[in-house]
């Protein structure tokens, strides 16, 4: 990698972490930056999953106290997440880069539409209602969401929060805590599969990870000063531009 590529990846990592902290959807930037410098789509998707992982962990730790109230009920959802992520990441490894490249613009369009609809899909606040998780319906929905998360991942958080809101009880913050924990599970499984399959671009990942960490930390500062709606429109614009780029290419 030349110095310009290193700077590009690091800056993309910073904005990825920042957007994830403020509005979510940073995967669009990390995946887009990797593909624009010539990383094959399958490898870019796997590498992007690696770079997101530290942010998922820190977001989960921020909700540590909430887990004490429903960790037993979350076990079934975690098992469903493991199974779904295994299946989704395995499916990805069965595709070669040309096959996956044909799917990318459609996946980006779907993820962008899902992200744009995110504010309308958020569960309604239920103040004071205790979290009750682990129903059969919720577990089945989580399995499907985890398949998508293991396969592609962009927009996974929005999809998961929407499905949890439909299938679980609890206020918004507890559902968000559950979503963050399950994202760690899905990402960890996908990473193990991708590393075992040898489809991770480690030099590029090592450059981006510190940027993502810095962006996640500075995202708190940005969140206090930049309206979340602006960040959301930035993510939507990036998703649409990337989709057009892949359709044309």
């Amino acid at each position: 990698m030349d110095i310009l590529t290193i700077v590009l990846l690091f800056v993309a990592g910073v904005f990825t972490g920042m957007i994830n902290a403020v509005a979510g959807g940073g995967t669009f930037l990390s995946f887009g930056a990797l593909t624009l410098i010539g990383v094959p789509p399958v490898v870019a998707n796997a590498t992007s999953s690696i770079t997101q992982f530290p942010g998922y962990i820190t977001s989960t730790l921020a909700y540590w106290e909430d887990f004490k109230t429903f960790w037993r009920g979350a076990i079934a959802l975690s098992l469903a997440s493991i199974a779904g992520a295994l299946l989704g990441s395995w499916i990805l490894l069965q595709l070669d880069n040309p096959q996956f490249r044909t799917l990318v613009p459609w996946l980006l369009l779907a993820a962008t539409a899902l992200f744009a609809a995110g504010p309308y899909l958020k569960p309604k606040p239920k103040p004071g209602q205790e979290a009750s998780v682990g129903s059969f319906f919720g577990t089945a929905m989580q399995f499907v969401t985890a398949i998508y998360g293991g396969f592609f991942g962009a927009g996974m958080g929005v999809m998961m929060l929407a499905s949890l809101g439909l299938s679980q009880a609890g206020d918004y913050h507890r559902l968000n805590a559950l979503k963050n924990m399950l994202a760690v599970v899905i990402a960890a499984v996908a990473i193990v599969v991708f590393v075992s399959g040898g489809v991770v671009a480690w030099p590029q990942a090592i450059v981006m990870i510190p940027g993502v960490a810095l962006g996640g930390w500075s995202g708190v500062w940005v969140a206090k000063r930049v309206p979340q709606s602006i960040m959301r429109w930035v993510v939507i614009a990036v998703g649409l531009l990337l989709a057009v780029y892949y359709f044309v290419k």
Side-chain angles (χ1 to χ4, degrees), residues 76-238:
L77 295 176
S78 297
L79 293 175
S81 297
I82 292 173
L86 278 172
L87 179 57
S89 52
W90 177 82
I91 292 173
L92 177 67
L93 293 185
Q94 306 314 302
L95 302 176
D96 56 29
N97 281 296
Q99 289 174 321
F100 186 64
R101 187 182 295 274
T102 61
L103 293 176
V104 164
W106 299 103
L107 289 169
L108 286 170
L109 277 181
T112 303
L114 183 65
F115 183 82
Y120 306 100
L121 297 175
K122 284 184 178 180
K124 294 181 179 179
K126 304 170 186 175
Q129 185 172 345
E130 292 296 318
S132 175
V133 301
S135 67
F136 175 79
F137 175 63
T139 302
M141 291 187 70
Q142 182 59 29
F143 174 71
V144 174
T145 303
I147 293 175
Y148 174 82
F151 181 76
F152 190 53
M156 175 185 68
V158 176
M159 181 186 297
M160 203 184 314
L161 196 56
S163 64
L164 290 173
L166 291 172
S167 62
Q168 314 297 331
D171 64 26
Y172 173 77
H173 290 291
R174 288 181 175 176
L175 293 178
N176 198 41
L178 183 59
K179 179 262 292 181
N180 289 338
M181 185 202 73
L182 295 174
V184 171
V185 174
I186 293 170
V189 170
I191 287 170
V192 170
V193 174
F194 294 151
V195 170
S196 302
V199 292
V200 177
W202 285 110
Q204 288 82 354
I206 290 172
V207 170
M208 294 190 78
I209 287 173
V212 174
L214 177 61
W217 178 79
S218 61
V220 177
W221 183 89
V222 174
K224 295 178 180 179
R225 292 163 176 82
V226 179
Q228 186 171 337
S229 59
I230 293 178
M231 300 297 288
R232 291 190 63 82
W233 279 112
V234 169
V235 174
I236 291 169
V238 170

